[in-house]
Amino acid sequence: MKIEAWLKSNTFHHSAFWDVMQAVKEKERQNLKISLCIPTLNEEKTIGKEIVIFRSELMERYPLLDEIAVIDSGSEDSTLEVAKAFGADVHLASEILPDLDARTGKGENLWKAIYQLKGDIIVYVDADIKNIHPRFVYGLVSPLIYRPEVKYVKAFYDRPLAFSEKQVRPSGGGRVTEILVRPLFSLFFPDLTALIQPLSGEYAVRRDVLEKIPFPIGYGVETSHLIDVYNKWGLGAFAQTDLDQRVHRNQETRSLGRMAFGIMQTFLRRLENMDKIKDLPEMGKTLHQFQVRDRNYEQVQFEITEHERPPMISIPAYRKKFNRGEAHES
Amino acid sequence: MPESFEEILSMLPSLRGQCAAVREILLTNLVMVGEIPAPTFGEKERVDFLQRRFSECGLQNCSTDEVDNALAVLPGESGSQNILVVAHTDTVFPAAVDHTISLQADIVRGRGVADNSLGLAVLMTLPAALERANIRLQSNVVLIGASRSLGRGNLEGLRFFLGNNDMSLRAGVCVEGVELGRLSLTSIGMLRGEITCTVSEEYDWTRFGTTSAILTLNEAINRVLEIPVPRRPRTSIVLGTIQGGQSFNTIAKQAVLGFEIRSESRETAHKIAEQMQDITDELSSRTGADAVLDVFASRDPGGIAFSHPLARHTRAIMNELGITQRIAPSTSELTAFIDRKIPAVTTGITTAENLNQADEVVYIEPMFTGLTQLLGILLAIDGGFCDED
């Protein structure tokens, strides 16, 4: 599929889906169940507002969502208490599939949500969004409801609704996207450059896709999803929705360095598995950063290993719970 | 429908439980409306949201009007009488500042949450609260998000509605986010305006006062402070805002004082305004600077008596709910009702901190008492217990 054609047919603005009642009717007609997963780690300042708004607007006013679950990595603040107080189902990732070896990371929470939640569609929304609004869910879920061929809908942000024809305004992602991921995609997967913000933490996906793809548990989860879904189903399986502005806390450049390091590990591993590059040497697992203290330069080292969870369909407990047969490559 | 006012009082404890059950709807309405900026004369986006909300509740006659009010009618069983519930839509904050609201277990924080996003949230939540409490009023309840209320708005929204509809209104209730316990029955006379001092681009160093608009305004302020203010009728001059100049090292070309004259007597307020006019005229003629008085908003004193059935029953409802009363006159929407001789009260919904600041905070738990108070007042009006003989 050509990028231009895909941009035209599979890129939406959330305002196209303002009629939530219509989406609810169509969802009910298809007998779909939709689950919202909010992965958390110390998000007490923003989690309450997200839950109140989604519960009130998208469960009670318009029953688009069938469940809202917080899956937590072990918050030390009052995230869990606040989430419970506002009526969310709260789960510790470590208590889901507890017989598996212990892992910690956002990707782990997202992966375990596939087992824990019951939806045919799971929509993931990060917990640190200050300007949360129902559009963050209905804007992502609606393309899946109305377009059966779409399997994976990604959010992007901050594009003006109207500007003069002569004005060209760059539209893109954050620093890691523009400096690392987009150049890598341009080199190896040019079609995927059409996704304006490949690292955005908000996306809605069909269960029959989620259960068939592996999940890096750390920084690489979004990048790996895009590559794996693209490989199995092609660009046509994706859609993206403009959700206008997303207000969240900014990360320091040093944190972004760690993110980029994790993404590189995931990316290179995939290139090797796909025979796009050969004979990769043993890669380091330590990110070296530097800081100055009392006029002395010192090294700060971070051990970052991007463990991956296998496709959920390969987990016997999951197959039993959801009455699935053995995994088959499609 | 309650047979007696005592029956209404006895219903209040269980009503509070019903009000607490709409917590999520109330908080969601508060967050969603509060994050839409609404400076005075720039309320349209907020009003459109309000109108959509009214429509979604299944209210009738949902509309906006030419001064950007949002209106809707919750039809009563008989519909022979009308009760007006109003909250102003505008805030003191400009559109460009961050309107993000944060929600914690016991508080909501953000610009304008108290004044008056919470009042609007209550308006939008009222149909759900009445439904949850299984209350079906006989009277129609007319809900209005009134725009152009603050500052230069001069209550234009509500005044427009009251002046351009043919509904017979039994009573009015003005809903303010804060402060729970507030009860306003009367309006004080008020004149609101600005003194603007301007010096020309080419000033003459030899002429007194014209070297800076700030100096001229300072002279005006000193003269205003010399105006004798009577103790009876109670009167005050509030110097509320001051702006002027561009930088440390340039002479200020313009300086503006914002003020209110408040008095229990209309005549006294107007007499003081005349004296301020004399001061600005004299300054202009003596200094060569341009001093202009602009009075752009006014309220006439008036209201219902402390013993009026609406006042008496509202106080009884507050007592029954354990709300400590603070009875004080108002210069808000109440005045527009008073001008039209419609009995009305202003009440607050919850407790708050940092009013009209960036970190304005409202407390969640008292909101349900405030909402119950409103339901009690509506039941009392609807039952005819607040009508004067």
Side-chain angles (χ1 to χ4, degrees):
Chain A
M1 194 175 205
K2 287 265 187 263
I3 284 180
E4 287 74 18
W6 181 86
L7 278 172
K8 215 166 237 180
S9 63
N10 286 30
T11 298
F12 305 99
H13 187 268
H14 69 83
S15 56
F17 307 115
W18 66 272
D19 190 346
V20 182
M21 201 61 229
Q22 187 61 36
V24 170
K25 282 180 190 160
E26 184 57 24
K27 171 208 155 188
E28 285 171 353
R29 192 189 66 77
Q30 296 178 36
N31 198 24
L32 285 173
K33 292 265 181 291
I34 302 176
S35 303
L36 167 65
C37 169
I38 306 176
T40 55
L41 177 62
N42 298 328
E43 308 285 2
E44 64 179 4
K45 287 187 177 162
T46 44
I47 189 68
K49 182 169 146 187
E50 286 203 11
I51 291 168
V52 162
I53 287 189
F54 289 139
R55 270 184 65 88
S56 175
E57 293 296 298
L58 299 179
M59 287 185 87
E60 291 177 15
R61 188 182 292 270
Y62 301 113
L64 187 67
L65 291 174
D66 296 280
E67 63 181 335
I68 296 176
V70 166
I71 299 195
D72 188 76
S73 303
S75 291
E76 291 173 345
D77 65 3
S78 62
T79 299
L80 298 181
E81 290 75 17
V82 173
K84 274 184 200 160
F86 288 113
D89 298 332
V90 176
H91 307 280
L92 279 175
S94 57
E95 292 174 358
I96 301 170
L97 295 169
D99 294 340
L100 301 180
D101 52 332
R103 299 279 186 223
T104 308
K106 181 187 163 191
E108 176 80 353
N109 298 13
L110 307 183
W111 184 69
K112 287 190 166 172
I114 308 169
Y115 176 84
Q116 188 63 40
L117 305 186
K118 61 186 179 208
D120 306 300
I121 292 170
I122 297 179
V123 53
Y124 297 104
V125 176
D126 278 351
D128 67 338
I129 304 172
K130 288 182 180 172
N131 62 328
I132 200 71
H133 184 278
R135 69 175 183 270
F136 283 81
V137 166
Y138 69 69
L140 296 174
V141 163
S142 295
L144 294 172
I145 293 175
Y146 293 120
R147 296 267 298 270
E149 78 281 12
V150 172
K151 299 177 186 301
Y152 194 114
V153 184
K154 193 88 178 164
F156 69 103
Y157 300 96
D158 194 21
R159 191 187 65 164
L161 267 178
F163 52 88
S164 66
E165 284 182 12
K166 286 180 185 169
Q167 188 186 345
V168 176
R169 173 179 155 134
S171 189
R175 285 165 282 177
V176 178
T177 293
E178 296 307 318
I179 293 169
L180 178 71
V181 176
R182 192 174 302 286
L184 283 175
F185 279 169
S186 300
L187 287 168
F188 296 100
F189 305 99
D191 278 355
L192 290 178
T193 58
L195 288 149
I196 290 170
Q197 288 181 1
L199 299 183
S200 74
E202 287 68 49
Y203 36 96
V205 194
R206 295 189 194 278
R207 172 176 293 276
D208 55 13
V209 167
L210 285 171
E211 67 186 12
K212 294 187 182 77
I213 54 177
F215 274 62
I217 62 163
Y219 298 109
V221 63
E222 280 85 14
T223 312
S224 79
H225 278 187
L226 299 186
I227 295 170
D228 293 344
V229 172
Y230 176 71
N231 269 341
K232 281 179 189 285
W233 294 282
L235 187 60
F238 290 104
Q240 60 185 349
T241 304
D242 181 351
L243 299 180
D244 286 344
Q245 284 212 324
R246 182 193 199 277
V247 181
H248 58 104
R249 58 173 182 263
N250 250 328
Q251 298 207 58
E252 290 177 10
T253 303
R254 180 173 288 193
S255 306
L256 298 183
R258 295 196 284 274
M259 182 191 288
F261 188 72
I263 290 171
M264 282 291 284
Q265 287 185 25
T266 301
F267 197 92
L268 290 171
R269 191 179 302 133
R270 267 162 180 67
L271 288 183
E272 193 176 34
N273 291 344
M274 294 162 67
D275 287 332
K276 284 188 179 263
I277 51 173
K278 294 190 194 319
D279 302 327
L280 267 182
E282 183 66 24
M283 292 187 290
K285 301 275 188 288
T286 307
L287 175 68
H288 303 265
Q289 293 179 326
F290 293 86
Q291 65 185 21
V292 185
R293 191 199 299 268
D294 297 333
R295 299 191 179 180
N296 293 317
Y297 292 94
E298 56 186 43
Q299 197 180 170
V300 184
Q301 299 183 50
F302 293 95
E303 285 293 318
I304 299 172
T305 307
E306 280 287 301
H307 293 288
E308 282 197 23
R309 289 295 193 184
M312 185 57 88
I313 195 79
S314 69
I315 305 295
Y318 175 80
R319 290 203 303 273
K320 188 175 174 196
K321 182 175 178 183
F322 286 86
N323 199 21
R324 294 287 208 265
E326 293 289 333
H328 299 287
E329 286 295 310
S330 56
Chain B
M1 184 178 166
E3 298 283 314
S4 66
F5 182 67
E6 286 65 35
E7 191 182 336
I8 294 173
L9 292 181
S10 70
M11 290 166 64
L12 293 175
S14 68
L15 278 183
R16 195 187 178 286
Q18 306 290 352
C19 287
V22 296
R23 178 179 78 153
E24 288 175 5
I25 298 173
L26 180 63
L27 293 176
T28 299
N29 282 333
L30 173 56
V31 169
M32 292 182 75
V33 81
E35 291 192 339
I36 304 171
T40 306
F41 298 105
E43 305 97 332
K44 186 161 188 332
E45 193 185 344
R46 184 176 279 209
V47 165
D48 287 344
F49 174 78
L50 207 59
Q51 198 231 331
R52 280 200 303 277
R53 270 316 212 220
F54 287 155
S55 300
E56 288 167 349
C57 292
L59 301 183
Q60 294 183 359
N61 303 90
C62 302
S63 58
T64 58
D65 62 21
E66 61 199 78
V67 294
D68 286 341
N69 290 318
L71 313 126
V73 176
L74 177 64
E77 292 287 283
S78 75
S80 58
Q81 307 254 25
N82 301 296
I83 306 169
L84 192 63
V85 181
V86 61
H88 68 83
T89 61
D90 47 349
T91 74
V92 299
F93 298 104
V97 299
D98 182 12
H99 278 66
T100 301
I101 289 175
S102 68
L103 178 61
Q104 285 156 44
D106 56 345
I107 61 167
V108 187
R109 185 192 307 272
R111 287 186 167 89
V113 285
D115 184 17
N116 189 27
S117 301
L118 180 56
L120 291 173
V122 165
L123 222 61
M124 291 184 279
T125 309
L126 191 57
L130 288 166
E131 189 180 339
R132 178 77 64 142
N134 203 21
I135 294 173
R136 300 186 70 84
L137 299 174
Q138 294 297 309
S139 312
N140 298 322
V141 177
V142 182
L143 301 172
I144 298 189
S147 294
R148 306 182 189 180
S149 177
L150 306 171
R152 285 182 177 270
N154 196 23
L155 306 177
E156 186 181 350
L158 185 57
R159 283 178 166 158
F160 176 87
F161 175 79
L162 294 176
N164 292 280
N165 84 92
D166 50 9
M167 281 180 176
S168 150
L169 295 171
R170 189 174 202 175
V173 183
C174 310
V175 183
E176 292 279 354
V178 289
E179 184 78 36
L180 182 64
R182 168 187 183 170
L183 176 59
S184 296
L185 311 169
T186 58
S187 166
I188 51 172
M190 184 275 282
L191 292 173
R192 178 185 299 154
E194 287 175 350
I195 294 176
T196 304
C197 297
T198 312
V199 294
S200 65
E201 293 292 323
E202 297 172 8
Y203 51 80
D204 179 350
W205 288 97
T206 63
R207 296 173 71 179
F208 170 78
T210 60
T211 52
S212 164
I214 290 174
L215 287 181
T216 311
L217 185 61
N218 182 51
E219 176 73 4
I221 290 170
N222 288 334
R223 297 286 301 278
V224 167
L225 293 176
E226 288 169 3
I227 296 174
V229 176
R231 283 190 174 184
R232 290 284 184 276
R234 284 183 295 183
T235 302
S236 66
I237 302 172
V238 180
L239 305 184
T241 64
I242 191 158
Q243 296 166 347
Q246 290 81 40
S247 67
F248 288 104
N249 61 351
T250 54
I251 291 168
K253 300 287 192 304
Q254 191 175 69
V256 183
L257 170 75
F259 67 87
E260 276 190 8
I261 307 164
R262 296 173 165 221
S263 177
E264 292 171 338
S265 156
R266 181 182 189 280
E267 288 68 31
T268 305
H270 281 265
K271 189 176 164 197
I272 290 174
E274 283 169 18
Q275 290 170 285
M276 290 174 78
Q277 183 68 61
D278 290 343
I279 289 168
T280 52
D281 288 348
E282 186 190 338
L283 277 173
S284 290
S285 65
R286 190 157 60 85
T287 66
D290 193 14
V292 176
L293 177 77
D294 178 17
V295 175
F296 49 77
S298 66
R299 314 276 190 272
D300 284 343
I304 58 173
F306 194 73
S307 58
H308 188 285
L310 176 58
R312 205 170 63 240
H313 287 111
T314 300
R315 284 188 280 116
I317 289 164
M318 294 171 86
N319 277 337
E320 189 69 21
L321 288 167
I323 301 169
T324 306
Q325 294 165 29
R326 283 180 294 279
I327 300 174
S330 163
T331 57
S332 68
E333 275 64 29
L334 187 67
T335 315
F337 286 107
I338 291 167
D339 291 348
R340 299 266 164 191
K341 312 287 185 215
I342 299 166
V345 291
T346 299
T347 59
I349 297 297
T350 190
T351 51
E353 290 172 8
N354 310 328
L355 197 60
N356 294 335
Q357 295 177 43
D359 56 348
E360 199 166 297
V361 164
V362 286
Y363 285 85
I364 294 172
E365 196 53 31
M367 291 178 190
F368 311 118
T369 304
L371 187 53
T372 310
Q373 166 192 256
L374 178 59
L375 294 192
I377 296 169
L378 289 177
L379 279 168
I381 297 170
D382 189 56
F385 306 112
C386 299
D387 296 337
E388 266 190 318
D389 294 332

